[in-house]
Amino acid sequence: MQMTGNDFIAALKDETYEIKSFTAADQATINLDDLFGYVEQATSQEKLFSAELLISGDEPISLRVETGLVNLPIRYTNAISKIVINDPETEVTLYMVAEHPLVTKSGLRIETAATVAAFADDPESVESKIATFFDKELQTINEAVAAAESDESEAD
């Protein structure tokens, strides 16, 4: 799947991309099958999308797979527009996104999973990479929560 920068900008501004959301009650009930099923279906149809797994809690955790031309969340239309304007046709990429205040100082981590074409060739290995990324980010969040709780109990 290839797209020019201007076509990508037009799709974002016209909101001709899909947003799909799945929820998990907590980290113990995460099931990536529905998310991956959607990603497989959407990429096979060459759709632009943002597919989110939202983990409920005091501070919800957003784990997403998004299509894009640059490693910015798809909702950052203005910033993306400045970067990809007049770019030649290039391969659309799948990005892995974790969003939560304890992931990074900015509350956002985004990394490349694979191009859409590479995902189509070998979805299992890309899905494994995405699952590993999500696990790592959840571990980062859990360790930060545990450290904060430890600090609170030591202060008492």
Side-chain angles (χ1 to χ4, degrees), residues 25-123:
D26 54 43
Q27 291 183 37
T29 60
I30 293 173
N31 181 345
L32 295 177
D33 293 344
D34 291 340
L35 177 74
F36 289 154
Y38 173 77
V39 171
E40 289 174 14
Q41 174 255 325
T43 54
S44 71
Q45 296 174 1
E46 296 195 349
K47 292 181 180 178
L48 296 175
F49 65 86
S50 175
E52 173 183 55
L53 175 63
L54 190 63
I55 303 168
S56 303
D58 293 339
E59 190 73 51
I61 302 168
S62 173
L63 303 173
R64 296 191 305 276
V65 178
E66 296 186 345
T67 50
L69 296 181
V70 294
N71 65 342
L72 286 172
I74 207 165
R75 71 174 185 269
Y76 290 13
T77 304
N78 291 338
I80 292 169
S81 298
K82 293 173 187 172
I83 296 169
V84 302
I85 191 162
N86 298 326
D87 278 3
E89 191 168 75
T90 188
E91 193 66 39
V92 175
T93 301
L94 290 177
Y95 291 99
M96 309 172 288
V97 183
E99 199 161 3
H100 183 273
L102 299 175
V103 170
T104 61
K105 287 184 183 192
S106 69
L108 178 72
R109 179 173 312 283
I110 184 166
E111 292 183 14
T112 302
T115 64
V116 170
F119 177 78
D121 289 343
D122 188 6

Side-chain angles (χ1 to χ4, degrees), residues 13-35:
K13 288 187 175 179
D14 296 342
E15 296 184 6
T16 56
Y17 58 91
E18 288 188 356
I19 297 175
K20 186 75 171 168
S21 189
F22 304 91
T23 57
D26 54 43
Q27 291 183 37
T29 60
I30 293 173
N31 181 345
L32 295 177
D33 293 344
D34 291 340
L35 177 74

